[in-house]
Amino acid sequence: MKILLYNPDNGVTRNFMPHLWMFLLQSLTPPEHQVLLIDGNAKPLTEEELVQFIRDEEIGLVGIGAMTRMVARAYRMADAIRAVGVPVVMGGPHVTEAADEALGRDGGPRHADAVALGEADETWPRIVADAARGQLKEVYEPVDETGKERKPSLTPYPSIPWETLDLDQFNLVPKIARSFLERHGAGWGTFHMVPIESGRGCPYGCEFCTVTGFFGDSIRFRTNESVVDELLRLKMRARKNLGQIAVFFIDDNFAINIKRTKSLLRDIIAAGAQLPWTAQISANLLRDEELVDLISASGGRWIFIGMESIDPANLADVNKNFNKPGEYAAVLDRLSKRNIYAITSFIFGMDNDTPGVADRTLGEIANWPPVLPVFGQLTAFPGTPLYARLGAAGRMTRPRHWMDFAPFKMAHTPLKMTIEEAQAEVDKAWRTSYSAKSNEKALQAIADRRIDDRLMHLVARLFFRGIYFPQLTKLDWTKLVAQNRRPVWKLAREAFGLYRASRKNGPRAETLTRPLQS
Ligand code: B12
Ligand code: SF4
């Protein structure tokens, strides 16, 4: 049987990285079946185009996974696929909490033939076997013989064959630049951001987060050996393709067990398996100097920190008072000294927020080393304690907000501001943070750093701006580069000069071509 795994985009936001679940389920599929992957973020398709593809390829089963904000589109795609008689199984965090909605048991239309609840590592082979026999069940649940929920162990962990997978749709180098860079870019013809997990689960239980409920509060880790082996294979592929690979450790809190994280990072260093990597780590765990040294030595470049708010009352409200706003600056300095930068995430519209929250937050950020800030509004996802609390208090204005996805618009009313005010604060924070002036200022603050690091910073800032101001066309990008022409021109001139010097003087000159792989 031919199987298609499909991840929808939502037409508004695009991910820069493929989803791990597709590669994981592909690796867990019995070898007699063939699995194709399409990520709508990399390859946007209409319903008609997707159905045509499914017909042309004679696909016998389609698996769709979606976050809440993509699920309305996932349902539309599923409806079109089922209309031509191909069965659809859905999985992921949203349908796990809203299985009745996907199966049409809530009075609405049915979108899926079957749903996979929770982690599907162990149920997927069963789903495939049932589908091949034409006997799909409606619900697949990871339970043991007694009916108790069973979380899959990550030891052993499937070996995702990155070295042979077709990753073309996920190449981040724009098509127009590829042939030039292949010839002159010393290893920059392709650039892939690859998701890897080293563990699952988080015990912290922040009120707005689905992770503790979905993956559980006990953490499961892969062995160091299996993670190191995956990195080495990726590194080999990057060398073979003369391309670049960076890794995103998608663990929810990569340093949740500091002792174990240090041991993994030491093993990565010892094996020479360093690739540039990004991970999510909460600020409280970054107090440890030795950990930050190991992050740096093992290839860590960008750390995503869920700061959420600079107001301790807000943090207490959402059960995240292990975050201490008073130490944010010190944490960021500690990282920056080692040339590691932070993606700092903030949530506006919390119950203690008032108009002016953007200015107050931007004021704090101005005192920090340059960061990539991202701003969202408090959103209640189904299955979270926040969703239950707001629902019980009758505060949800759009209880099924996902069926009518409106980016950056709250679905409940905060206590001390209106929904429109919260939206205006988010807008202000994005506009100010990614204006051409702010980009220039951020680059000035790291003017003493290597050209590669400054270039990476500028490119990252241009991409991150796109989270709020979607940059989907060539025209969008042209305008953006024109707005940022001063730093772009300055860096391009400097880089070109160094490139020419390095060709003339050999490898001793600082060059643009330092490979990302250490
Ligand atoms: C990496 C990540 C991202 C990446 C992008 C996603 C990517 N390309 O991987 C980045 C950093 C960009 C990101 C952004 C956001 N993210 Co995010 N992200 C994650 C994270 C940390 C890991 C995802 C992952 O790979 N997990 C590991 C895999 C193995 O688990 P899984 O995807 O759940 O898949 C398993 C099962 O669900 C199931 N399954 C999944 N799909 C399918 C499909 C089928 C057919 C079957 C059978 C089974 C199945 O099988 C898999 C194996 O067991 C998760 C948290 C988490 N730990 O999952 C949040 C998470 C998915 N993100 C979340 C959110 C809210 C966001 C943002 C909206 C945050 C924000 N405020 O801006 C944005 C939205 C991005 C956008 N494009 O619009 C929420 C989603 C909640 C929800 N109900 O939708 C999560 C769960 C975290 C949370 N705090 O609750 N995210
Ligand atoms: S620390 Fe992060 S992953 Fe853990 S519960 Fe809080 S928000 Fe979710």
Side-chain angles (χ1 to χ4, degrees), residues 202-206 208-212 252-253 282 308 320 322:
C202 176
Y204 285 174
C206 304
F208 53 80
C209 180
T210 64
V211 168
T212 306
D252 290 293
N253 207 336
S282 54
E308 326 303 7
K320 193 153 187 170
F322 58 87

Side-chain angles (χ1 to χ4, degrees), residues 216-227:
D217 53 6
S218 72
I219 310 142
R220 288 152 288 148
F221 294 119
R222 290 169 65 181
T223 62
N224 289 359
E225 200 188 356
S226 119
V227 179

